[in-house]
Structures are given as C-alpha cells and as structure tokens.
Amino acid sequence: MTDLQERLVAYSLAETLRRLRAHIGEQELNPEELADETALPVTVVRALLNGDDPGTTTVEERVCSRIKNLSDAHLHKYGKREGDLVAEVHTRLGISDVWARKLLRGEKVPNVTLLHGIADFFEVDGGEAFFTAPPAEALNRVLQLRLNRYETPEVDPVQVLMERYGVVGSDLRLHGAALTNEQLEALLAGVIKSVMPTIQQQGDAPR
C-alpha cells in the first residue's frame, strides 16, 4: 500500500468515526467487541479509535495474527479443544493435522487457496481481504456496517458508471492521471454535452 493509499484509508476511518459518533452521542464504541469482529488485537483497535498510529505490519503478519485470533475466539465461543478444531480444519481443507495446527496457531502463512478455505470455514465477511486488509481498513469496514444502521447508503449513478467501465479514482492515480474534483467535473460535463445532441435528435425524430 502506498503512502497516498494509507492516508486515504486513515481519512476514511476518521470520517466514518465522526459520522458514527454523531449518531451514537456519548455511547462508547467497545474495543473488545470490535476486536472480536475484526480479529484485530484490542490494543490496535484502541489506538485506531483514538486516532493513533497502530504501527506497521506486513501482510503475512496480519494473516497469521488474524487466523490465530479467530481460532482462539472460536475455541472460547464453542468450548472446543484445540485438537477438535484442528481435526475439523484438517478434514475441511484436506491438509494434514500438523499443517492445520500450525495454521491455527498463526505459525504458518497459508497460500491463497487455503486462505480462501479458512475464510469460508470461519464464515468471515470480506473473504481473503478480512485477513489481509490493513488494520484501519479492517476496522473501517466493520464500522461502516454499524453506520449503515443509521444512514441509508446513497447510490451515486456516476460512480456506478465509472466503476462499470473501469474509470475509478484508484485507476486514474495508477496511470498517473490523478484528477481533482474540478477536473473530474469538467471531464464528466464534456461527456454529458457530447451525448446530449444524440439524445435530443432521438427525441425529435418522427414517430
């Protein structure tokens, strides 16, 4: 993730928190509950809620940590022994019990196929991204779900069209054409003007 992307993610989380707190008032967000929902360490959740930097982690570290946290939470919730969970994962994913145990303990990094299987096994939202997303992005995803209880998400038809044809902000940045809001507005205005004569001609055509 680039520095720009990190700043955008941090800004998005801060904005979600601002809007959510405007709805819930003095009610505090529970770091322990959010840690359970995101499989993030409680210390990381607290830091993010306070607007602090939780530190840098690699994708591999995030994956291993969140698998272990999910495994521990699963054992606690269902009162299982580690051997029982290992046997279930071993059978479900078709891997050895030794490999399953190392995965669940966060000692080994799974490949993409195994990570997909683990996501299905624990029934997490977001699939593989649940394990790989940076902490701020992972927390923001969960908070957005809570925010949607208070706000009805608005569908931006322009954004839908841009995504449909692959013209999204991240794509423009990757191609070195970072557009300001004014430039994007001018671009869209030009597109609209170019199609208006066609629409008018269709409306004036004899029936």
Side-chain angles (χ1 to χ4, degrees):
M1 179 174 285
T2 66
D3 183 60
L4 174 59
Q5 289 172 322
E6 289 179 355
R7 292 202 301 271
L8 290 173
V9 169
Y11 173 80
S12 181
L13 174 60
E15 179 63 14
T16 299
L17 282 169
R18 183 192 67 77
R19 289 160 57 193
L20 185 57
R21 283 167 173 158
H23 290 291
I24 65 179
E26 297 301 319
Q27 180 182 346
E28 287 294 327
L29 293 167
N30 189 314
E32 286 76 15
E33 288 182 0
L34 292 170
D36 287 341
E37 293 181 51
T38 57
L40 294 171
V42 177
T43 53
V44 170
V45 173
R46 286 201 181 101
L48 290 170
L49 292 177
N50 292 332
D52 298 329
D53 184 358
T56 303
T57 55
T58 65
V59 173
E60 291 79 9
E61 289 170 338
R62 294 196 289 267
V63 169
C64 289
S65 173
R66 291 175 202 177
I67 290 176
K68 183 181 186 304
N69 290 342
L70 275 180
S71 174
D72 292 344
H74 185 90
L75 293 174
H76 178 75
K77 180 178 180 180
Y78 296 103
K80 295 179 180 179
R81 297 176 304 170
E82 183 188 36
D84 296 331
L85 181 57
V86 167
E88 291 177 19
V89 171
H90 148 67
T91 302
R92 178 81 169 266
L93 301 185
I95 58 178
S96 71
D97 56 350
V98 173
W99 184 237
R101 191 180 302 275
K102 288 182 179 294
L103 282 178
L104 295 172
R105 288 180 176 179
E107 298 174 355
K108 291 291 185 180
V109 181
N111 59 30
V112 174
T113 301
L114 283 181
L115 188 59
H116 181 76
I118 292 172
D120 285 345
F121 179 85
F122 286 111
E123 299 180 343
V124 298
D125 292 330
E128 294 86 344
F130 178 92
F131 301 96
T132 60
E137 185 176 325
L139 181 59
N140 191 48
R141 178 186 58 81
V142 169
L143 293 177
Q144 279 283 349
L145 295 176
R146 297 193 178 192
L147 182 62
N148 289 344
R149 301 174 190 171
Y150 301 95
E151 300 179 359
T152 302
E154 295 183 358
V155 177
D156 183 349
V158 173
Q159 183 65 25
V160 170
L161 284 172
M162 290 175 67
E163 291 177 355
R164 179 182 301 172
Y165 292 102
V167 186
V168 293
S170 59
D171 288 337
L172 292 172
R173 285 194 297 272
L174 287 172
H175 289 86
L179 299 183
T180 65
N181 289 337
E182 292 77 12
Q183 290 172 325
L184 181 57
E185 182 178 346
L187 173 63
L188 293 174
V191 173
I192 292 172
K193 290 178 181 178
S194 68
V195 300
M196 282 304 293
T198 302
I199 296 175
Q200 291 173 349
Q201 290 172 6
Q202 291 175 347
D204 296 337
R207 305 185 182 212

